[in-house]
Amino acid sequence: MTSAYEDVPFSELLHHPAATTRRLDAVRALRLRRRDAGDLALMRVDQLKRDTTVMDFTSRLLAGLVRTENIAALRQALPEALPWSTFLPAEDIDTLLAELVDAARGAVALDNLGPIALLLTQWRHSAEIYADPALHAILTREPEGDLGPVPMPEAGE
């Protein structure tokens, strides 16, 4: 079985492109480390297509399960997939699942998994707030947790 990815300096790809890309025979992707910018990933197109197929299947399966009587099983399995979800109120779990299904279906349609990662990050932050009673109290005290509208920043800020 191949590992998920291997770290490679970006310069290695530039100086030894054939040897570097042959490494994709042993790993799913190469993480190209760059000094002055974000890292890049290099993978074979067939691997990208397989990943997209799996994500499409998973999002459709999840959507089908949420829209049927299997929602109870999903609620029960969620802490296994997202351990931090145990800190969310019960009523938020259904909202999380519904938003996750919508985000997954839309993300697959766009070939962009970023919206799913963003949604999970947002819900994780909500769980962090619920897990900390002092922080939860600060953020939910009068006026009902809302500190009012935020003024537009002035030019140059």
Side-chain angles (χ1 to χ4, degrees):
M1 181 172 162
T2 61
S3 61
Y5 69 89
E6 181 180 330
D7 279 351
V8 176
F10 184 72
S11 60
E12 187 173 320
L13 176 66
L14 296 175
H15 297 299
H16 310 286
T20 304
T21 55
R22 273 196 303 272
R23 294 167 98 165
L24 289 170
D25 293 337
V27 295
R28 292 180 67 244
L30 295 175
R31 180 179 180 165
L32 304 172
R33 291 187 322 270
R34 301 188 301 169
R35 284 186 221 150
D36 299 330
D39 292 349
L40 300 174
L42 181 66
M43 68 178 3
R44 296 181 189 277
V45 170
D46 60 333
Q47 182 64 53
L48 178 64
K49 287 180 180 178
R50 285 192 299 270
D51 290 355
T52 301
T53 299
V54 170
M55 188 61 204
D56 184 49
F57 162 76
T58 304
S59 69
R60 291 174 190 274
L61 179 65
L62 182 61
L65 289 172
V66 167
R67 287 183 178 81
T68 66
E69 59 277 347
N70 296 314
I71 190 74
L74 278 175
R75 275 191 218 106
Q76 188 175 1
L78 191 63
E80 184 70 27
L82 304 172
W84 46 260
S85 67
T86 59
F87 296 106
L88 293 172
E91 60 272 11
D92 284 357
I93 296 297
D94 289 339
T95 304
L96 164 60
L97 289 170
E99 289 179 5
L100 187 57
V101 167
D102 291 341
R105 294 176 74 205
V108 168
L110 295 174
D111 288 329
N112 177 1
L113 302 181
I116 300 169
L118 176 61
L119 179 74
L120 291 173
T121 299
Q122 292 168 336
W123 276 103
R124 182 183 179 122
H125 290 317
S126 294
E128 290 170 345
I129 292 167
Y130 283 109
D132 184 340
L135 180 58
H136 185 263
I138 290 168
L139 294 175
T140 56
R141 70 176 166 226
E142 293 297 327
E144 294 158 26
D146 185 358
L147 301 177
V150 176
M152 289 290 289
E154 295 187 27
E157 284 188 37

